[in-house]
């Protein structure tokens, strides 16, 4: 397995793979790999003769403190990637990905800069840096001012910017993303359509631990007490999604689940888990259509229940399809 750190070498690798007639699958990650990531590797391995994972903690999608706290363990990640038969890992530095940026700190200020406005319905690409080296992507409000994006829309601008850049550097045939991040998938699919890209986005179902938690690199930040609370929150969310699912199947007027009623019930159910020692704050609970991300009034089979919350300041999300 090759470990590649520069854009020039990555370009050369992908160009050679294409010349040799290979199909290239890309799995973008921020590292600290777990079984959720490796499920993406397995999927990519099935359908591509060359697979590369990127490992890059992207400052553009974080606030500084969260960026600094984000877990990193590149050496262990490289071993995991190798054990899953990957052909290459692309692990660039921040300076390599954002060569124009005077510092990483400057990247944290970008999203507040009014010279890079957002459009209501269209993606906008702003050329930034000394030699216009980076396309800073603003995701349209219609997609970003929803769910997880409402509190920090710039997060998805950072995701779109880095994925756009990875696509330009690697030019894969297929790229793999987890359904754990449903808003991310909807935004990247829309960006792909806007770019008229031929890269196929492949969605991979959520991988959960035996205790029901969706695997996430952030889970290593939790202590035992916090983890127990998160397990309980996840259970309550699953119960609400299941009860509603049964009711939608009954399909009677009396049983029709109204999203607002469910959200209210779930909110008080989650709040009741709070303990004196641990602060649990609900950021948002929504029932949405997975493609448009629009909130729904009545829950249907394809509806997604989405919850974002903070346990002692650590932000987690939970995504549950009702069907
Ligand atoms: P991250 O390293 O957190 O940016 O995640 C990289 C990719 O792995 C994203 O497409 C995530 O949606 C996906 N992913 C992370 N956790 C899981 C999981 N538990 N199940 C499925 N996909 C996941």
């Amino acid at each position: 397995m090759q470990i590649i750190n520069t854009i020039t070498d990555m370009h050369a690798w992908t160009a050679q793979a294409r010349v040799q007639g290979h199909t290239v699958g890309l799995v973008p990650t921020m590292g600290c790999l777990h079984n959720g990531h490796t499920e993406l590797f397995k999927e990519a391995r099935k359908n591509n003769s060359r697979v590369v994972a990127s490992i890059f903690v992207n400052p553009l999608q974080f606030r500084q403190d969260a960026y600094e706290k984000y877990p990193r363990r590149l050496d262990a990640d490289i071993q995991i990637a190798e054990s899953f038969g990957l052909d290459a890992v692309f692990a660039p530095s921040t300076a390599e990905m954002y060569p124009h940026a005077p510092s990483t700190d400057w990247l944290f200020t970008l999203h507040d800069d009014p010279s890079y406005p957002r459009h209501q319905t269209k993606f906008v690409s702003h050329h930034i840096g000394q030699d216009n080296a980076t396309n800073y992507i603003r995701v349209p409000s219609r997609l970003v001012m929803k769910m997880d994006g409402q509190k920090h829309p710039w997060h998805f601008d950072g995701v779109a910017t880095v994925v756009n850049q990875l696509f330009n550097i690697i030019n894969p045939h297929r790229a793999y993303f987890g359904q754990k991040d449903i808003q991310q998938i909807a935004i990247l699919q829309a960006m792909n359509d806007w770019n008229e890209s031929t890269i196929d986005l492949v969605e991979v179902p959520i991988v959960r631990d035996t205790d029901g938690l969706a695997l996430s690199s952030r889970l290593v930040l939790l202590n035992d007490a916090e983890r127990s609370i998160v397990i309980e929150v996840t259970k309550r969310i699953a119960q609400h999604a299941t009860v509603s699912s049964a009711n939608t199947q009954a399909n009677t007027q009396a049983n029709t689940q109204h999203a607002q009623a469910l959200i209210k019930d779930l909110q008080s159910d989650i709040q009741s888990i709070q303990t004196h020692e641990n602060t649990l704050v609900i950021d948002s609970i929504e029932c949405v259509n997975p493609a448009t991300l629009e909130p729904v009034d009545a829950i249907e089979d394809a509806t997604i229940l989405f919850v974002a919350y903070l346990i002692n300041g650590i932000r987690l999300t939970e995504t549950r399809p009702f069907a």
Side-chain angles (χ1 to χ4, degrees):
M1 188 183 77
Q2 255 179 279
I3 297 153
I4 299 170
N5 302 116
T6 68
I7 292 174
T8 310
D9 288 352
M10 193 64 244
H11 264 309
W13 182 90
T14 204
Q16 194 189 18
R18 279 183 172 261
V19 165
Q20 291 173 343
H22 290 292
T23 49
V24 177
L26 165 67
V27 183
T29 82
M30 294 197 297
C32 205
L33 301 176
H34 51 64
N35 289 347
H37 297 111
T38 58
E39 196 60 30
L40 272 62
F41 294 169
K42 285 194 229 161
E43 280 304 310
R45 195 66 286 180
K46 277 187 207 161
N47 295 312
N48 304 277
S49 50
R50 289 285 179 270
V51 179
V52 52
S54 60
I55 298 181
F56 178 62
V57 183
N58 175 29
L60 265 190
Q61 66 192 66
F62 285 97
R63 289 204 194 281
Q64 183 159 8
D65 56 341
Y67 173 74
E68 279 162 10
K69 261 194 225 157
Y70 200 84
R72 291 160 172 88
R73 40 168 211 220
L74 187 60
D75 291 346
D77 288 345
I78 286 170
Q79 282 182 13
I80 294 172
E82 187 144 36
S83 73
F84 278 81
L86 265 59
D87 300 291
V89 161
F90 179 47
S93 64
T94 303
E96 184 70 18
M97 287 299 270
Y98 301 114
H100 60 275
S103 67
T104 304
D105 286 357
W106 179 81
L107 291 167
F108 297 124
T109 65
L110 213 56
H111 60 78
D112 281 335
D113 193 327
S115 17
Y116 309 125
R118 178 187 312 289
H119 192 274
Q120 171 60 30
T121 55
K122 295 183 198 150
F123 281 82
V124 185
S125 177
H126 296 285
H127 302 291
I128 56 166
Q130 284 136 12
D131 47 5
N132 288 340
T134 297
N135 292 322
Y136 181 46
I137 310 282
R138 287 291 198 190
V139 179
S141 307
R142 74 179 161 87
L143 290 170
V144 88
M145 291 304 187
K146 297 208 166 77
M147 299 168 70
D148 219 14
Q150 286 172 63
K151 289 257 166 70
H152 42 69
W154 47 267
H155 164 79
F156 288 108
D157 301 332
V159 171
T161 300
V162 79
V163 170
N164 184 55
Q165 199 163 342
L166 287 169
F167 281 6
N168 287 335
I169 297 166
I170 299 172
N171 188 24
H173 293 82
R174 301 185 187 86
Y176 293 77
F177 297 93
Q179 286 176 344
K180 178 172 164 290
D181 300 293
I182 201 94
Q183 187 167 14
Q184 173 168 285
I185 289 181
I187 287 171
L188 295 179
Q189 188 61 63
M191 182 172 78
N192 229 25
D193 296 345
W194 164 68
N195 272 333
E196 297 181 358
S197 166
T198 55
I199 300 167
D200 194 10
L201 299 195
V202 184
E203 296 182 24
V204 179
I206 300 174
V207 179
R208 293 181 180 278
D209 215 336
T210 44
D211 57 15
L213 297 197
L215 295 175
S216 159
S217 309
R218 281 170 210 264
L219 295 181
V220 302
L221 301 173
L222 303 175
N223 64 31
D224 288 350
E226 289 163 347
R227 187 169 174 115
S228 306
I229 292 173
V230 170
I231 291 171
E232 200 51 42
V233 171
T234 309
K235 264 192 210 153
R236 307 282 173 108
I237 295 169
Q239 279 162 6
H240 281 262
T242 310
V243 169
S244 299
S245 186
N247 283 346
T248 53
Q249 279 159 22
N251 201 23
T252 64
Q253 192 65 31
N255 275 338
T256 300
Q257 277 281 325
H258 289 287
Q260 281 314 318
L262 179 133
I263 289 168
K264 222 171 136 212
D265 278 1
L266 180 56
Q267 198 155 14
S268 49
D269 203 2
I270 293 177
Q271 262 152 3
S272 71
I273 302 168
Q274 173 110 257
T275 65
H276 284 304
E277 299 78 29
N278 296 285
T279 320
L280 185 59
V281 179
I282 300 171
D283 213 351
S284 72
I285 304 183
E286 295 193 52
C287 297
V288 299
N289 174 302
T292 62
L293 307 178
E294 289 293 342
V296 298
D297 291 332
I299 291 157
E300 293 165 0
D301 276 354
T303 305
I304 299 282
L305 175 57
F306 172 82
V307 182
Y309 61 100
L310 291 109
I311 174 79
N312 294 337
I314 301 165
R315 196 161 188 288
L316 295 170
T317 62
E318 175 63 23
T319 303
R320 284 270 171 181
F322 280 96

